[in-house]
Amino acid sequence: MSNKTKIIDVLDEVAQKLNSIELPIAEFIRDENIDIDSLNALVKANKGKKGFTYTHKKLNPQALIDANKNGFTVNVSCDNITELKNFHTMGLPVVMISNNPVKVEFINDVKMVRCPAEYSDKVNCEKCQLCADSTRDYGIKF
């Protein structure tokens, strides 16, 4: 089984778990803006857990900072190096696509670490948990 297949399987499991909880998830993902009430409900439901997600939504940086400080990691999916630098400087966890296969690189002065599940058959999202760490001082690249 390839690493991509493993990642897809984990994402399918996460989707099934999200569908089983009674939160307004559909409202959360319906439009371009982050629904603050739904985000707060996710933060509350995540208390004592290590939940994490990614977003390309039109951002409310303070809401994301608050969610991350309260234990629900929201990784900002950056589309370009300017976004990467800006959101990282705000203290938000960042992720980005990179064509560079090296494990560690600096993009616009931001340290970026390659997702370990992409190059190791022994690592998957459940075991790794790098994306769940909202306090990390580096971004994750895929």
Side-chain angles (χ1 to χ4, degrees):
M1 180 181 285
S2 74
N3 285 332
K4 284 189 179 184
T5 302
K6 289 177 190 176
I7 290 170
I8 290 169
D9 288 346
V10 169
L11 290 174
D12 284 342
E13 287 179 42
V14 169
Q16 289 173 4
K17 288 178 183 177
L18 283 175
N19 287 332
S20 71
I21 59 176
E22 294 182 18
L23 292 173
I25 301 296
E27 294 296 321
F28 184 68
I29 62 174
R30 187 177 313 190
D31 64 28
E32 292 295 313
N33 298 301
I34 291 178
D35 180 309
I36 303 303
D37 292 334
S38 296
L39 177 60
N40 289 336
L42 286 168
V43 171
K44 183 177 178 182
N46 183 63
K47 286 285 184 210
K49 300 171 183 73
K50 238 185 149 176
F52 65 97
T53 192
Y54 307 86
T55 188
H56 271 283
K57 295 278 191 176
K58 288 183 183 170
L59 301 175
N60 176 327
Q62 190 57 54
L64 297 182
I65 289 168
D66 292 345
N68 281 291
K69 284 184 179 177
N70 285 295
F72 184 62
T73 303
V74 182
N75 292 281
V76 179
S77 296
C78 300
D79 292 321
N80 56 60
I81 59 174
T82 301
E83 286 183 0
L84 179 74
K85 180 70 170 186
N86 290 343
F87 293 122
H88 179 74
T89 300
M90 288 181 199
L92 289 165
V94 293
V95 296
M96 187 172 179
I97 301 296
S98 172
N99 293 327
N100 189 341
V102 300
K103 292 180 183 176
V104 177
E105 68 177 310
F106 285 83
I107 301 173
N108 204 12
D109 297 325
V110 178
K111 181 179 180 181
M112 297 296 289
V113 175
R114 187 170 168 213
C115 168
E118 289 190 346
Y119 59 84
S120 173
D121 289 334
K122 296 179 182 178
V123 178
N124 60 32
C125 295
E126 183 179 11
K127 290 178 183 175
C128 173
Q129 297 290 305
L130 285 180
C131 292
D133 181 3
S134 65
T135 64
R136 65 182 190 265
D137 63 351
Y138 54 89
I140 299 173
K141 62 181 189 157
F142 300 95

